Each structure stands twice: as structure tokens, then as C-alpha cells.
Amino acid sequence: MARKAPDPVQIVKQRRDAALNALVGGVPYISFMGIGFDRRGDELTGVLSYDDKLIGNPILPAIHGGVTAAFLEVTAVISLSWAYIWEDFESGALDVEALAAGNLPRLPKTIDFTVDYLRSGLPRDAYARATITRAGRRYASVQATAWQDNKDRPFAQATAHFLMPRPDHSSD
């Protein structure tokens, strides 16, 4: 029996990008905030594109604390969801066309979320990455860090705990 040849790299990248775009597009608030994601393999970087509406204190000026918290939470949720669906997606068990059509997996639910504001977010683009520190079937812990010009000088960091969605057993 002949083994199926792997898909060309460009096809794999397109499929992964389509899946990520469907996942992010399923939450309208993400686009309202101007948040996007840069994907390199299975690693995601959240990108908060600067907009005047994000400023909380025009005298400084500084990005609003609520915007910072939302950016970190969105980065944590999407990164956790991406890691959660990665194996099913790569194995073909999760169909990209179904994702694009709106048949999205349920997102993890926030149990608690703590933000440490380290310095003011300046009026420019911001970036964030999340690290999953524990991922079980029912519960996950995630740390997220946001920075602007220098990754080694974050302006905020967060710790979050999530209730993971239960697997869909509708086909049982």
C-alpha cells in the first residue's frame, strides 16, 4: 500500500492560516479591537494595531487598562484554543471548510484573570504571546505577556485560568 505524499508546504500554510482566521473571525470583538495574530508554525503572536480609540489617558497618552487586559485575555484564549485544536486540525479530524463556514469549536471559559500593569502602554502597536503552563481535559492555566518595542520590557502581563470546553459527543 502506497503512502500518501504530504501536502506541499504552501498548501499546509494556507490551511493553517484559514483555520486561524476562522477561529479569530468567530469572535467579532477581536476585530473591533483591531487585534490580529501572526502565526509561525504553532506559535502565535497577538498584534494590537494602534488606534486613537484605544487611548485611555490622552494627557500621557497611554493605552486604556481595559484595552490592555482585553488584549492579553484574547491572546490567551486564542492561543489556548489554537493549541487545543492543533492535533485535530493537523490530523485532518477538523475540517478547515467547516471552520470557515462557522462550525467553530467552543472556546475556553475564563475562570479568573489577573493583570499586572508594569508601565504605561504607549500610543503604538503592541504585541503579546501566551504560554500554556497547564493544560488538562477540564482546566488550563495560561500566562500572557504584552510588549511594544522590546520584548524584554513588557508593559503588562497576565495569569489566567480557563475551563476547557467538553468534547462534543453528539456522534456517540
Side-chain angles (χ1 to χ4, degrees), residues 42-79:
D42 65 345
E43 183 179 73
L44 299 179
T45 301
V47 180
L48 176 66
S49 299
Y50 175 75
D51 189 312
D52 285 339
K53 73 181 179 186
L54 304 177
I55 295 297
N57 184 340
I59 295 170
L60 291 177
I63 294 176
H64 192 283
V67 170
T68 299
F71 178 44
L72 287 166
E73 187 171 12
V74 163
T75 299
V77 167
I78 294 298
S79 296

Side-chain angles (χ1 to χ4, degrees), residues 136-161:
R137 287 188 329 250
R138 305 235 17 221
Y139 169 87
S141 297
V142 179
Q143 293 181 336
T145 304
W147 72 93
Q148 290 182 305
D149 298 325
N150 182 344
K151 188 177 174 195
D152 294 329
R153 286 187 38 93
F155 69 93
Q157 58 192 16
T159 302
H161 301 101

Side-chain angles (χ1 to χ4, degrees), residues 77 80-81 84 106-112 134 136-142 160-166:
V77 167
L80 182 58
S81 298
Y84 183 70
R106 291 185 14 227
L107 296 176
K109 293 184 181 186
T110 305
I111 297 171
D112 68 36
R134 181 193 185 282
R137 287 188 329 250
R138 305 235 17 221
Y139 169 87
S141 297
V142 179
H161 301 101
F162 295 95
L163 181 63
M164 298 303 293
R166 293 185 182 197

